């Protein structure tokens, strides 16, 4: 039992992995991402490969050295080419990676502008509706000999079909149309 308690108290290195996908092209973000790491974050780049899309770096924090990597890859979502950044920093909390990715996104927006918006999905017009330039159907003509009545649910009915005719406006002297009292 004592061994279990001692084992549970040992800290395990954290290997977090944070991602961010943005609507840019990989070729345009690669140089900005490397500049971001070197200039803005002041990390030491130990290896990089533009074709494979990775940067290995060392981050000095609190007097300690931490190894990290940034992967830049192309992904296709809904037929659209996007770029995904995957950032890993050994033995550091994930919030640090998330904050770095947010700063990278801010830099990309500042240098390259906002990412392109997703394409709008346009639904084809239903076949029943006339085209804007085509002829429009005529409105049904009302027969003046058949007065219409309004039901309590707001639908209009033919007075001959309902068997009765209700006036549209109350005619009783007992009923007054008044505005609600002011508060």
């Amino acid at each position: 039992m004592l061994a279990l308690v001692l084992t549970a108290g040992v800290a395990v290195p954290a290997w977090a992995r944070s991602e961010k996908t943005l609507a840019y092209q990989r070729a345009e973000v690669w140089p900005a991402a490397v500049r971001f790491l070197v200039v803005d974050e002041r990390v030491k780049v130990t290896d990089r490969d533009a074709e494979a899309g990775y940067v290995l770096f060392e981050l000095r924090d609190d007097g300690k050295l931490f190894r990290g990597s940034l992967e830049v890859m192309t992904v296709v979502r809904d037929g659209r080419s996007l770029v995904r950044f995957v950032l890993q920093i050994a033995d550091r909390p994930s919030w640090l990676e998330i904050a770095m990715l947010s700063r990278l996104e801010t830099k990309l927006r500042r240098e390259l502008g906002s990412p392109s918006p997703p394409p709008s999905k346009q639904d084809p017009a239903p076949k029943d509706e006339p085209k804007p330039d085509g002829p429009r159907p005529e409105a049904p003509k009302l027969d003046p000999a058949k007065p219409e009545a309004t039901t309590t649910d707001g639908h209009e009915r033919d007075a001959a079909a309902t068997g009765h005719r209700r006036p549209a406006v109350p005619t009783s002297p007992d009923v007054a149309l008044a505005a609600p009292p002011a508060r």
Side-chain angles (χ1 to χ4, degrees):
M1 181 67 164
L2 181 60
L4 180 62
V5 172
L6 291 175
T7 308
V10 175
V12 179
W15 287 92
R17 172 187 162 121
S18 301
E19 298 180 357
K20 185 171 278 282
T21 303
L22 300 171
Y24 292 106
Q25 297 300 311
R26 184 173 173 262
E28 66 184 359
V29 300
W30 173 258
V34 174
R35 268 194 323 277
F36 166 77
L37 290 172
V38 174
V39 176
D40 299 337
E41 296 297 318
R42 295 190 166 113
V43 301
K44 180 183 175 187
V45 173
T46 58
D47 191 15
R48 68 176 139 186
D49 186 340
E51 189 176 320
Y54 73 86
V55 179
L56 300 179
F57 60 89
E58 293 176 342
L59 169 72
R60 189 164 298 279
D61 190 26
D62 293 331
K64 295 181 182 177
L65 194 62
F66 301 95
R67 290 190 177 140
S69 67
L70 176 67
E71 297 174 68
V72 182
M73 62 192 83
T74 301
V75 294
V76 177
R77 187 182 302 155
D78 297 328
R80 185 174 178 210
S81 181
L82 308 170
V83 65
R84 177 175 295 151
F85 298 95
V86 179
L87 182 64
Q88 297 181 26
I89 303 173
D91 299 324
R92 301 308 297 156
S94 63
W95 64 264
L96 183 68
E97 297 168 354
I98 294 167
M100 282 180 75
L101 287 172
S102 292
R103 290 190 299 271
L104 173 59
E105 180 180 9
T106 301
K107 180 179 184 74
L108 292 174
R109 286 179 187 273
R110 198 172 47 245
E111 289 186 10
L112 304 174
S114 295
S116 59
S120 61
K121 295 181 180 178
Q122 296 180 1
D123 295 330
K127 295 180 182 179
D128 300 2
E129 294 181 20
K131 294 180 182 178
D133 296 334
R136 298 175 187 218
E138 291 185 27
K141 296 182 181 181
L142 298 176
D143 186 358
K146 296 183 180 178
E148 296 189 75
T150 304
T151 63
T152 55
D153 63 358
H155 291 92
E156 293 189 16
R157 302 277 190 246
D158 183 10
T162 60
H164 65 282
R165 180 177 178 166
R166 289 186 288 168
V169 179
T171 57
S172 169
D174 301 328
V175 178
L177 297 176
R183 294 184 183 214

